[in-house]
């Protein structure tokens, strides 16, 4: 098959991305993944945290269709953020919207522990965390159980052979399709224009429809009704354009 324009742009972006002395790409420098540091005792703290769902060795069927009844103890809508990082976005959402249940998903302990630190400072009963890989998402949520999915500054996986790992690929859109309500939506923000172009192409290929598209979300100052992530604040301060779409099936 031929390489799409977006894939070619990602290829060019990868070529230009700075490397360290070992030849590793510093993707976050151009809107990619962050450098991760091991934090002593993080795994132990995560295991002991009452608001973090442990998925290692568990059966997803124990959670499917049970989130509201057994974990939140209400019938409020469920919104999730995949790759929540240090948790600023989702903890702020949970504070502002007490009648919505939020679940933050993060697979890296060294990042998840920062979100746990933030949550410990807040009195919230509508926010839970999960440590797991997003590839397993359909194992833990039943069809129609989720109302909205947030994707913020996701890893661009710039190598072409890793395109299916991008959280906005048709592979993942198919997974979201399985767990979203009929009128459910996906919201995506990134500072990486090639990834954004790729994502819009993937929406079209998967038969999704974009309700909102911006290539410069904060062009006229901080956008209204928008919560900035930690990275978004840094990029905004630098004047880097932030791209965003909101889409439904």
């Amino acid at each position: 098959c031929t390489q799409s324009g977006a894939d070619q742009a990602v290829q060019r972006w990868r070529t230009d991305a700075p490397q360290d002395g070992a030849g590793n790409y510093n993707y976050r420098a151009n809107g990619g993944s962050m450098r991760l540091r091991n934090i002593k005792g993080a795994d132990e703290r995560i295991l002991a945290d009452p608001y973090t769902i442990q998925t290692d060795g568990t059966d997803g069927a124990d959670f499917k269709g049970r989130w509201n009844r057994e974990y939140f103890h209400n019938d409020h809508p469920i919104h999730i953020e995949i790759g929540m990082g240090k948790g600023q976005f989702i903890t702020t959402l949970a504070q502002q919207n007490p009648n919505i249940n939020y679940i933050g998903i993060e697979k890296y302990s060294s990042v998840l522990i920062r979100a746990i630190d933030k949550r410990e400072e807040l009195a919230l009963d509508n926010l839970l965390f999960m440590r797991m890989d997003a590839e397993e998402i359909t194992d833990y949520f039943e069809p129609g159980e989720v109302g909205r999915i947030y994707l913020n500054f996701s890893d661009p996986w710039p190598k072409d052979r890793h395109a299916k790992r991008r959280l906005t690929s048709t592979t993942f859109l198919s997974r979201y399709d399985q767990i979203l309500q009929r009128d459910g939506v996906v919201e995506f923000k990134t500072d990486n224009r090639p990834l954004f172009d790729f994502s819009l192409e993937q929406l079209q290929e998967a038969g999704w429809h974009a309700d909102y598209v911006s290539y410069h979300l904060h062009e006229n100052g901080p956008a209204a009704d928008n919560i900035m992530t930690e990275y978004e604040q840094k990029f905004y301060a630098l004047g880097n354009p932030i791209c965003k779409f909101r889409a439904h099936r």
Side-chain angles (χ1 to χ4, degrees):
C1 58
T2 59
Q3 187 180 41
S4 70
D7 277 337
Q8 291 172 353
V10 172
Q11 174 71 32
R12 290 194 300 272
W13 173 84
R14 180 179 69 244
T15 301
D16 294 337
Q19 302 179 29
D20 61 19
N24 298 313
Y25 290 105
N26 184 1
Y27 297 133
R28 176 46 59 189
N30 285 336
S33 58
M34 67 192 113
R35 290 193 176 280
L36 301 174
R37 298 179 180 177
N38 291 327
I39 297 178
K40 186 176 181 180
D43 288 338
E44 291 76 11
R45 283 193 57 201
I46 291 170
L47 286 171
D49 183 66
Y51 300 106
T52 300
I53 304 298
Q54 307 298 329
T55 60
D56 293 344
T58 64
D59 185 347
D62 294 335
F63 298 86
K64 274 188 172 183
R66 301 182 180 183
W67 287 103
N68 278 349
R69 183 176 68 254
E70 298 186 14
Y71 295 93
F72 289 110
H73 308 294
N74 59 49
D75 59 356
H76 297 164
I78 296 175
H79 294 182
I80 67 176
E81 182 183 8
I82 300 176
M84 67 172 179
K86 298 178 182 178
Q88 176 170 297
F89 179 84
I90 199 166
T91 55
T92 304
L93 274 178
Q95 288 178 279
Q96 294 181 354
N97 302 282
N99 292 324
I100 297 177
N101 297 327
Y102 292 96
I103 301 174
I105 297 172
E106 177 58 56
K107 70 177 180 178
Y108 296 113
S109 299
S110 57
V111 185
L112 174 56
I113 195 66
R114 300 306 188 192
I116 290 174
D117 289 339
K118 285 184 175 67
R119 199 202 184 292
E120 288 178 347
E121 300 172 0
L122 305 171
L124 296 172
D125 58 8
N126 65 330
L127 176 61
L128 294 173
F129 298 144
M130 296 180 71
R131 179 175 59 177
M132 74 170 198
D133 193 303
E135 292 181 354
E136 303 172 9
I137 195 168
T138 56
D139 294 335
Y140 288 86
F141 296 93
E142 73 173 5
E145 192 167 17
V146 176
R148 184 167 301 223
I149 297 173
Y150 295 98
L151 309 171
N152 292 311
F153 301 89
S154 308
D155 191 328
W157 288 101
K159 292 184 179 180
D160 297 335
R161 67 175 182 270
H162 293 155
K164 290 184 178 181
R165 298 184 185 180
R166 299 170 193 161
L167 293 182
T168 49
S169 67
T170 55
T171 300
F172 274 96
L173 290 173
S174 176
R175 293 180 174 123
Y176 307 152
D177 184 48
Q178 295 179 56
I179 66 172
L180 278 172
Q181 298 170 357
R182 184 168 299 178
D183 59 349
V185 300
V186 170
E187 291 194 11
F188 173 57
K189 289 192 291 187
T190 182
D191 65 310
N192 187 311
R193 178 59 185 270
L195 176 62
F196 192 68
D197 291 340
F198 165 86
S199 301
L200 291 176
E201 290 184 1
Q202 295 290 282
L203 286 179
Q204 184 175 14
E205 183 177 333
W208 286 58
H209 307 279
D211 302 311
Y212 172 85
V213 175
S214 175
Y215 295 92
H216 200 339
L217 181 62
H218 307 301
E219 184 175 11
N220 299 312
D225 300 321
N226 176 73
I227 296 172
M228 290 196 187
T229 71
E230 293 89 345
Y231 281 124
E232 189 173 357
Q233 289 176 331
K234 294 177 183 178
F235 298 145
Y236 173 73
L238 292 171
N240 295 359
I242 304 299
C243 302
K244 177 180 178 177
F245 72 63
R246 182 172 55 251
H248 72 280
R249 294 160 295 173

